[in-house]
């Protein structure tokens, strides 16, 4: 049992107690536009659908939403393959629809954050087509190479053994150009060449273009992959060593190799700082509120900390913390949770915010990974920790994965495998249409077909039903979002500990404000806890909110010396005497 160094946490938290910028007290929601709301009955979500539902986000209490890519795309990787960085994807709407969405968002009071996908474009992008044809302005826009000649067979082979995130070689031969190009994701997603200053400039122009359209900032995709090793320092691109990871025996999988030459190159951090300069400059020139950068990187802890800034230059306001996604699962013990939380909070530089991400469109849903009975507990955890929480659309309802057969699978990461193994790789199950109400197709669309199937449980599990019910995942979620505005949650210290394998308890309090206690029981059975042994408490506390299956109702008074923590239940209490 370890007690957190309260002093260290206090320092980290007080650094931003005087929060003034909009994003500092923000609560963030990720919309997957293709699956959120279809306004025109083609079975595919769109911008007018998002516009229609902005008030809903506001009603829950969110202040900002980041949208997965909405740009023109052949949809090989559902928008992460961009054919034109300056245009809206026609299935999603027009530039006028986009303008209306921004205008409506301003009215409602929701900030719109766009997904910026800098590592690659689509192979349909005119930049790539020009590059294939060696147009002098675009010749070096992508990473091209002659390959190497196999000394034994005399045949031309890819320049290195590098493989792609979506399996198989990361090099693809192009017949027109008679060279290989690099693609760290799908074959149809050629990597842009960040060692070419023209590429760096063009991508900054993309940011400026959307800033001028009124967006509040960007979520930047797939940061670790931006740079590859500098070829000028080698005659050949070097092969990557085998990872020797026994859980990854298939040579076609990305995890079969280490990725020392294609990920996390030192230049990456500088690029983030440059992008921050672009958004800061934009504000200087055009006024208005701070424009926000959020960054996506499954990377080392040390790198993530650098993304915030180096003390001289600033970087990402919110470098997504995937520690929970990567390291916490249904079998994790209370101690493991606490260790991960402490690690992050203690290592954070002064004056920045922590953040916590547990779901997105690349992972199976939280309710499916941890069990529906734990969804409230997980939401309570994310919303009551210091810093920012990022919620993937549907997690607030406890939506679950939808089984999608091999035949119906569309995710390239899964399609590049086989009927036996695709399911573990597939990201489709977490991308099913949002469940709005009990009408046909969950109120997602008026069409009788949808691009991915709607979950079978939509009649009993949908936003409308949960809004009307006195007790629901969504009601709990709304209570939590309101609670986060309290001074003790916005700027209070945290004192956290694991009592055994199952029980996590922590307090949140800002001096002079209410003392809150959070109790999470990861186990299946009830446990009675004397909270007064761990916190300075009077005899009674009041229940603010608790998981759906909890024995407590909101507003109920409980005895702090003998608090019964039900299995798989999270509870937020406030001290009352
Ligand atoms: C994996 O094993 C090979 C030799 O069997 C070695 O060369 C390589 O460095 C190892 N990889 C790692 C990441 O240690
Ligand atoms: C970095 O951000 C801090 C806090 O907002 C600000 O005071 C400082 O001037 C920024 N530094 C640069 C180089 O923009
Ligand atoms: C999560 O773990 C609990 C045991 O602690 C188990 O009852 C439950 O079925 C598991 N849920 C999932 C989705 O694996
Ligand atoms: C969480 C996230 O945004 N993941 C994306 C990372 O980038 C690849 C390639 O652009 C996408 O396929 C993922 O969806
Ligand atoms: Ca549509
Ligand atoms: Ca790259």
């Amino acid at each position: 049992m370890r007690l957190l160094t309260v002093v260290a946490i206090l320092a980290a938290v007080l650094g931003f107690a005087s929060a003034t910028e909009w994003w500092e007290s923000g609560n963030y929601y990720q919309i997957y536009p293709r699956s959120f709301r279809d306004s025109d009955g083609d079975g595919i979500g769109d911008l007018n659908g998002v516009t229609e539902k902005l008030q809903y986000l506001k009603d829950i209490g969110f202040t900002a939403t980041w949208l997965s890519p909405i740009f023109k795309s052949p949809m090989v990787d559902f928008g992460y393959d961009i054919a034109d960085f300056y245009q809206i994807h026609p299935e999603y709407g027009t530039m006028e629809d986009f303008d209306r969405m921004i205008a409506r968002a301003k009215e409602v009071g929701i900030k719109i954050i766009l997904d910026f996908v800098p590592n690659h474009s689509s192979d349909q992008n005119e930049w790539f087509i020009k590059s294939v044809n060696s147009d002098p302005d675009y010749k070096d826009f992508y990473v091209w190479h002659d390959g190497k000649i196999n000394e034994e067979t005399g045949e031309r082979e890819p320049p290195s053994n590098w493989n792609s995130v979506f399996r198989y070689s990361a090099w693809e031969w192009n017949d027109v150009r008679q060279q290989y190009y690099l693609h760290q994701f799908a074959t149809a997603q050629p990597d842009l060449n960040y060692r070419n200053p023209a590429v760096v400039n063009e991508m900054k122009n993309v940011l400026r273009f959307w800033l001028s359209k009124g967006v509040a900032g960007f979520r930047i995709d797939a940061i670790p992959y931006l740079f590859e090793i500098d070829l000028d320092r080698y005659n050949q691109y070097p092969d990557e060593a085998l990872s020797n990871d026994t859980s990854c025996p298939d040579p076609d999988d990305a995890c079969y190799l280490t990725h020392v030459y294609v990920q996390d190159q030192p230049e990456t951090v500088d690029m983030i700082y440059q992008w921050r300069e672009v958004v800061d400059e934009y504000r200087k020139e055009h006024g208005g509120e701070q424009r926000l950068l959020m960054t996506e990187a499954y990377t080392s802890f040390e790198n993530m900390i650098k993304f915030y800034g180096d003390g001289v230059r600033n970087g990402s306001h919110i470098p997504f913390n995937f520690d929970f996604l990567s390291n916490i699962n249904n079998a994790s013990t209370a101690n493991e949770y606490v260790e991960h939380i402490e690690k992050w909070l203690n290592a954070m530089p002064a004056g920045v915010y922590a953040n916590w991400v547990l779901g997105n469109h690349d992972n199976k849903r939280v309710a499916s990974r941890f069990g529906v009975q734990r969804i409230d507990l997980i939401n309570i955890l994310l919303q009551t920790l210091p810093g920012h929480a990022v919620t993937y659309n549907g997690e607030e309802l406890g939506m679950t994965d939808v089984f999608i057969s091999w035949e119906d699978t569309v995710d390239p990461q899964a399609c590049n495998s086989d009927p036996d193994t695709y399911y573990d790789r597939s990201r489709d199950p977490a991308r099913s249409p949002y469940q709005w109400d009990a009408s046909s197709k969950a109120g997602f669309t008026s069409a009788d077909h949808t691009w991915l199937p709607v979950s079978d449980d939509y009649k009993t599990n949908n936003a409308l039903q949960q809004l009307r019910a006195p007790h629901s995942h969504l009601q709990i979620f709304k209570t939590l979002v309101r609670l986060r505005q309290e001074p003790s949650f916005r700027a209070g210290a945290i004192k956290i500990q694991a009592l055994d394998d199952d029980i996590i308890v922590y307090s949140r309090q800002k001096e002079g404000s209410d003392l809150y206690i959070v109790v999470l029981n990861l186990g299946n059975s009830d446990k009675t806890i004397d909270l007064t042994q761990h916190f300075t408490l009077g005899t009674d506390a009041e229940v603010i909110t608790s998981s759906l299956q909890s024995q407590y109702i909101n507003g109920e008074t409980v005895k702090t010396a003998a608090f019964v923590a039900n299995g798989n239940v999270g509870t937020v209490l406030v001290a009352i005497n």
Side-chain angles (χ1 to χ4, degrees), residues 396-447:
E396 74 282 12
L397 303 180
M399 274 176 65
T400 51
D401 289 341
V402 173
F403 176 80
I404 291 165
S405 68
W406 166 248
E407 288 72 29
D408 291 340
T409 291
V410 292
D411 175 18
Q413 178 165 287
C415 293
N416 274 353
S417 66
D418 55 69
D420 294 332
T421 61
Y422 82 97
Y423 198 77
D424 284 346
R425 304 172 202 270
S426 181
R427 299 171 297 175
D428 291 335
R431 298 178 176 180
S432 67
Y434 195 87
Q435 292 158 221
W436 290 105
D437 58 42
S439 69
S440 159
K441 301 292 173 197
F444 165 69
T445 180
S446 58

Side-chain angles (χ1 to χ4, degrees), residues 218-425:
F218 302 93
R219 200 250 16 172
I220 310 178
D221 181 62
I223 298 275
Y225 305 90
L226 279 180
F227 285 86
E228 294 74 35
I229 194 93
D230 191 352
L231 189 57
D232 291 348
R233 293 173 46 211
Y234 295 81
N235 296 326
Q236 266 292 344
Y237 283 119
D239 280 349
E240 286 182 328
L242 309 189
S243 65
N244 306 321
D245 176 351
T246 50
S247 69
C248 189
D250 185 341
D252 294 327
D253 279 331
C255 53
Y256 194 72
L257 300 178
T258 59
H259 297 292
V260 288
Y261 299 128
V262 298
Q263 287 184 28
D264 293 324
Q265 303 303 305
E267 293 87 343
T268 310
V269 176
D270 174 67
M271 201 63 245
I272 294 175
Y273 298 170
Q274 289 193 40
W275 287 329
R276 174 63 180 266
E277 279 153 20
V278 170
V279 299
D280 284 353
E281 269 163 32
Y282 188 88
R283 185 196 192 191
K284 236 182 239 151
E285 282 168 26
H286 298 88
E289 295 176 287
Q290 258 185 31
R291 311 307 194 278
L292 177 72
L293 289 189
M294 307 167 116
T295 43
E296 186 221 17
Y298 295 83
T299 184
S300 72
F301 189 68
E302 291 66 33
N303 266 327
M304 196 115 63
I305 295 300
K306 283 187 208 149
F307 290 173
Y308 278 117
D310 63 4
V312 180
R313 297 167 81 193
N314 291 321
S316 173
H317 299 85
I318 305 182
F320 281 174
N321 168 8
F322 291 123
D323 205 30
F324 279 171
L325 258 175
S326 306
N327 297 313
I328 294 290
N329 58 46
N330 191 39
S332 300
T333 62
N335 243 317
E336 287 167 339
Y337 278 81
V338 171
E339 275 170 20
H340 284 287
I341 293 164
E342 284 183 339
K343 182 177 91 180
W344 185 266
L345 291 176
N346 289 330
M348 251 174 19
V352 305
Y353 291 86
N355 75 84
W356 317 93
V357 182
L358 244 174
N360 61 28
H361 61 282
D362 283 348
N363 290 277
K364 298 289 197 290
R365 284 199 173 273
V366 174
S368 294
R369 281 185 283 137
F370 292 84
V372 176
Q373 77 275 24
R374 283 183 172 179
I375 185 71
D376 300 319
L377 180 153
I378 297 284
N379 282 334
I380 288 171
L381 172 68
L382 255 64
Q383 295 292 331
T384 57
L385 287 176
H388 295 123
V390 185
T391 301
Y392 176 54
N393 59 198
E395 308 291 29
E396 74 282 12
L397 303 180
M399 274 176 65
T400 51
D401 289 341
V402 173
F403 176 80
I404 291 165
S405 68
W406 166 248
E407 288 72 29
D408 291 340
T409 291
V410 292
D411 175 18
Q413 178 165 287
C415 293
N416 274 353
S417 66
D418 55 69
D420 294 332
T421 61
Y422 82 97
Y423 198 77
D424 284 346
R425 304 172 202 270

Side-chain angles (χ1 to χ4, degrees), residues 10 13-14 487-488 491-493 508-515:
L10 261 175
V13 176
L14 291 179
S488 288
R508 295 295 314 275
Q509 185 173 34
K510 182 173 190 275
E511 237 186 294
S513 298
D514 285 332
L515 167 62

